[in-house]
Amino acid sequence: MHIPITVISERNRVFRQRVDVDGLEALYADVPPIVGGDGSAPDPHDYFDIALGTCKAITVQMYAKRKAWPLEGVTVTVQRDDSQEKKGVYKLTVVLALHGIDDPAQRARLEEISHRCPIQRLMTVSTVEIATLLV
């Protein structure tokens, strides 16, 4: 089991939340002004999308390092289309830029590996069970 993530409402802000993760520098979440927030931090959907982008980048980097391939860096752009979210469809388009890798076979393999990142599997093939307890 992992150390829990704690989310605490900031008393002086309408919807802004402070997120504490295992003693790391605090993160913040908010919602856009159009829904009553300050827009002062990424919203929960942003963090969902961020999780996918960062996981893909890390997965690709780890694989390239293990293979001693000349990967200098990765840029991942995640574009959200949530226009049909209320109908149960949430679309993410991921653009993966591999810096320092010119070999087409290596590039193709790294793209394939990016689809195996743990967060993509959570989002696409796992059953996620959520238990909410009131204290």
Side-chain angles (χ1 to χ4, degrees):
M1 217 168 180
H2 294 271
I3 294 174
I5 294 170
T6 304
V7 178
I8 303 165
S9 296
E10 291 196 323
R11 297 186 196 282
N12 61 342
R13 301 282 184 111
V14 177
F15 294 118
R16 186 174 161 103
Q17 309 293 311
R18 186 181 83 233
V19 182
D20 293 332
V21 182
D22 194 20
L24 300 173
E25 184 176 335
L27 302 170
Y28 294 89
D30 200 353
V31 293
I34 195 166
V35 291
D38 295 328
S40 64
D43 74 18
H45 284 85
D46 294 330
Y47 280 110
F48 185 83
D49 304 349
I50 288 166
L52 179 63
T54 56
C55 187
K56 282 181 168 284
I58 291 167
T59 299
V60 165
Q61 288 174 303
M62 291 173 80
Y63 187 86
K65 182 178 180 180
R66 190 169 53 247
K67 293 289 190 177
W69 289 354
L71 182 66
E72 296 170 3
V74 179
T75 302
V76 180
T77 304
V78 180
Q79 179 66 53
R80 169 189 329 143
D81 176 356
D82 58 2
S83 62
Q84 296 180 28
E85 184 178 357
K86 290 181 180 179
K87 295 178 183 176
V89 178
Y90 188 84
K91 296 178 184 178
L92 297 174
T93 300
V94 178
V95 177
L96 190 63
L98 305 172
H99 310 292
I101 297 279
D102 295 323
D103 180 273
Q106 289 178 344
R107 293 176 62 78
R109 181 67 177 149
L110 290 174
E111 189 228 342
E112 178 185 327
I113 290 298
S114 80
H115 300 302
R116 297 182 185 176
C117 85
I119 297 299
Q120 181 164 335
R121 288 187 306 211
L122 275 174
M123 292 176 169
T124 58
V125 298
S126 296
T127 298
V128 178
E129 297 178 2
I130 300 170
T132 302
L133 309 172
L134 183 61
V135 294

